[in-house]
Amino acid sequence: MSTQGSRDFRPRFHYTPPKGWINDPNGPLYEDGIWHLFAQHYPHDTVWGPMHWIHATSKDLLNWENQGIALSPDERLGLIFSGSAVIDKGNTSGLGRERDPMICMYTHHGEHEQQSIAFSEDRMHFTPYEGNPVIPNSDLPDFRDPKVFRNDLLGCWSVVIAAGDHVEFHASPDLLHWHKTGEFGQAENKLGGVFECPDLFPLPAPDGSVLWVLIASMALPREFGGSRTQYFLGMFDGNTFVETHPSLRVKLIDSGYDNYAAVTFSGAEKPCIIGWGTSWNYAAEEPTGPFCGLMTYARNLALVQTVEGPRLSSAPIVPAFLLCEVPGAASRQPGQQPTVETALPGEQFCLRIEAKGPFCTSLFNAQGETFVVGLDNEKRFFTDRTQAGSRDFSELYRAGLASVTVTPRLQTGDIALTLYFDRCIAEVFADEGTYANTALLFPSKPYTHARLLGEGTLYVGTVQA
Ligand code: FRU
């Protein structure tokens, strides 16, 4: 196991494994005050290897308690790839003896990719079902990542599964016996690559109707950034999904390169999504020492109106911050941009910028490392991590594409942008969360200061104990 790593980059409020590798969030589920999170996990090294599910729980989505390995590779059927979990209300599967079981549905990746289930009554120990796989497959090379949900339209269970260049829908009365009900995506997808980790859920639309959101993580060629998570808006009739709001610009849940395989928590009051906070392009090379991989902050989702139509808006679940306005400079040199500067309160903080026009904010340290975020003269949000810290570990992290992001604004009027920072991850939100941008940063020493250049107000937020 690699122990390389210049300093401790473990974030405080983002889930990381105690050691070894994680990728996709799996089976996120809320029940009785407890948030369950599983993740693709290889315990024996900080790179991808034979996949297990690791399990963690939390009461607030910020402080996570590790619960160990929930599922391990199966000699007969293969590795445990991504999937989801539900509480089988009413014990439709008959797998519960004393209470409704939690059912995890995942891909067994062996000679073929097939869907299997495991069940648990105590929510801590998981027993693979002996009739696995429940959805066999022998022809599709890619057939994985089942996201199961209660289908109230037809009074059954449904599952959306990634199947190469499209997704498939299957339905079941009991989570054990499944039949295919539809397909989506072959014609509608404009990104190329294979679908991974799909999800489907309804949300109230700004016009009072209900729209269904189909999330699709796309495994793209390396030169296109490796991995991006897009979404489609449309209708689900209980059997299949039809896109009703196509757009010229592909809709992404995050403008950054470090949010992949994001899926929602089953059982939550409203759709709440969590993603893998890095990219397939460079995750394995990150200088984080004994662990590799982290989750983003969980984000409550809604649909809001923008100049391009309804779009997802993300409201992250973050620690409580005490916000203080940074006083502006008393006088300014003629012809110079106003500047305010502040010291940062450690490695967990937030910054809020309120502005009427272009601005540029940076985090920096005495080593000259700086991460820059702002709005340019063309009304585009930008992030720049070209000089943000260590970059030598990966050519693809250094690449221009992954270093600088430029995203047109989808709203007009005054701007409020908030940046949440937790040791190695910055998550930026603006315009009611229709702009979200996640960036991994590896400053060799902590950032100590922040600066706002431009007309506006800067607030700095300290975590409240
Ligand atoms: C997405 C993914 C999934 C697969 C898993 C394997 O990141 O490729 O499609 O189930 O990772 O670890």
Side-chain angles (χ1 to χ4, degrees):
M1 177 168 314
S2 152
T3 51
Q4 158 233 0
S6 39
R7 67 184 190 94
D8 182 8
F9 281 115
R10 195 185 285 278
R12 181 167 152 205
F13 297 114
H14 290 75
Y15 176 71
T16 53
K19 66 179 179 70
W21 161 278
I22 57 164
N23 54 286
D24 315 353
N26 293 156
L29 180 142
Y30 175 79
E31 184 189 27
D32 297 339
I34 307 282
W35 299 88
H36 292 265
L37 175 67
F38 305 81
Q40 286 286 278
H41 179 51
Y42 183 50
H44 306 300
D45 204 346
T46 52
V47 294
W48 192 91
M51 283 290 109
H52 301 58
W53 276 25
I54 192 172
H55 182 202
T57 53
S58 172
K59 293 196 170 118
D60 57 6
L61 290 166
L62 299 169
N63 296 285
W64 291 97
E65 203 176 314
N66 271 297
Q67 303 295 354
I69 288 175
L71 295 167
S72 302
D74 178 297
E75 267 180 31
R76 181 173 67 93
L77 293 167
L79 312 181
I80 314 294
F81 271 22
S82 286
S84 52
V86 285
I87 300 299
D88 176 13
K89 288 214 177 90
N91 195 19
T92 62
S93 63
L95 293 170
R97 275 168 306 176
E98 291 177 4
R99 69 188 285 214
D100 291 343
M102 185 196 287
I103 305 278
C104 300
M105 188 168 190
Y106 51 92
T107 301
H108 261 133
H109 173 95
E111 196 186 331
H112 303 290
E113 294 193 327
Q114 324 194 72
Q115 317 318 319
S116 290
I117 61 173
F119 55 99
S120 169
E121 280 185 75
D122 65 2
R123 293 19 179 173
M124 289 294 153
H125 302 90
F126 298 84
T127 310
Y129 172 56
E130 48 184 40
N132 282 336
V134 294
I135 308 184
N137 158 47
S138 52
D139 9 285
L140 293 169
D142 295 292
F143 187 53
R144 57 180 179 266
D145 311 338
K147 179 74 163 94
V148 61
F149 59 96
R150 188 70 203 162
N151 180 339
D152 291 327
L153 295 164
L154 302 183
C156 63
W157 297 100
S158 277
V159 67
V160 52
I161 308 172
D165 63 0
H166 62 281
V167 296
E168 289 189 359
F169 303 96
H170 294 243
S172 166
D174 56 8
L175 294 157
L176 307 176
H177 304 90
W178 294 90
H179 63 278
K180 185 171 162 185
T181 60
E183 281 187 7
F184 169 81
Q186 209 171 26
E188 295 80 356
N189 171 37
K190 300 194 198 94
L191 274 182
V194 297
F195 282 68
E196 295 185 319
C197 302
D199 195 354
L200 182 69
F201 50 88
L203 271 179
D207 67 2
S209 65
V210 169
L211 280 175
W212 286 74
V213 182
L214 190 135
I215 305 269
S217 285
M218 306 304 303
L220 301 174
R222 301 188 119 207
E223 60 279 19
F224 292 117
S227 37
R228 307 301 297 273
T229 301
Q230 70 169 324
Y231 66 95
F232 303 88
L233 296 177
M235 293 311 300
F236 179 63
D237 65 2
N239 288 308
T240 200
F241 175 88
V242 176
E243 187 180 31
T244 54
H245 290 61
S247 50
L248 281 178
R249 211 193 310 271
V250 170
K251 297 188 270 294
L252 298 173
I253 66 158
D254 198 298
S255 305
Y257 282 85
D258 296 319
N259 184 352
Y260 193 61
V263 283
T264 57
F265 283 84
S266 172
E269 222 171 86
K270 47 189 161 189
C272 176
I273 199 162
I274 190 163
W276 181 40
T278 176
S279 164
W280 276 116
N281 264 5
Y282 39 75
E285 282 125 25
E286 279 158 27
T288 48
F291 75 94
C292 186
L294 72 167
M295 296 301 166
T296 63
Y297 274 137
R299 302 167 183 187
N300 284 325
L301 295 177
L303 284 171
V304 303
Q305 193 57 31
T306 71
V307 293
E308 295 187 358
R311 290 288 179 276
L312 274 185
S313 98
S314 310
I317 290 144
V318 297
F321 289 102
L322 183 66
L323 270 194
C324 286
E325 183 178 337
V326 180
S331 64
R332 161 183 5 157
Q333 301 299 319
Q336 277 193 344
Q337 290 247 51
T339 307
V340 292
E341 206 171 289
T342 180
L344 289 169
E347 290 191 88
Q348 284 76 31
F349 57 84
C350 76
L351 297 180
R352 182 177 169 85
I353 294 99
E354 291 173 0
K356 294 195 183 304
F359 67 91
C360 175
T361 307
S362 50
L363 310 177
F364 59 97
N365 59 18
Q367 285 61 41
E369 294 166 337
T370 173
F371 174 58
V372 189
V373 178
L375 184 80
D376 68 15
N377 291 327
E378 324 264 303
K379 301 192 172 61
R380 298 174 309 185
F381 291 109
F382 63 89
T383 63
D384 185 344
R385 61 179 176 189
T386 328
Q387 322 226 343
S390 165
R391 314 194 313 139
D392 292 347
F393 60 90
S394 156
E395 197 185 318
L396 290 166
Y397 178 88
R398 273 198 313 275
L401 181 68
S403 289
V404 178
T405 67
V406 179
T407 314
R409 264 194 101 181
L410 294 180
Q411 292 197 337
T412 52
D414 295 354
I415 300 137
L417 176 145
T418 310
L419 180 160
Y420 298 97
F421 187 77
D422 186 4
R423 189 157 282 157
C424 69
I425 183 167
E427 290 165 270
V428 181
F429 300 88
D431 282 350
E432 288 185 275
T434 55
Y435 176 70
N437 192 307
T438 306
L440 272 184
L441 307 168
F442 300 105
S444 62
K445 292 275 167 19
Y447 299 125
T448 53
H449 288 79
R451 181 182 298 137
L452 168 66
L453 199 64
E455 217 59 79
T457 313
L458 173 66
Y459 301 82
V460 60
T462 311
V463 178
Q464 292 192 287

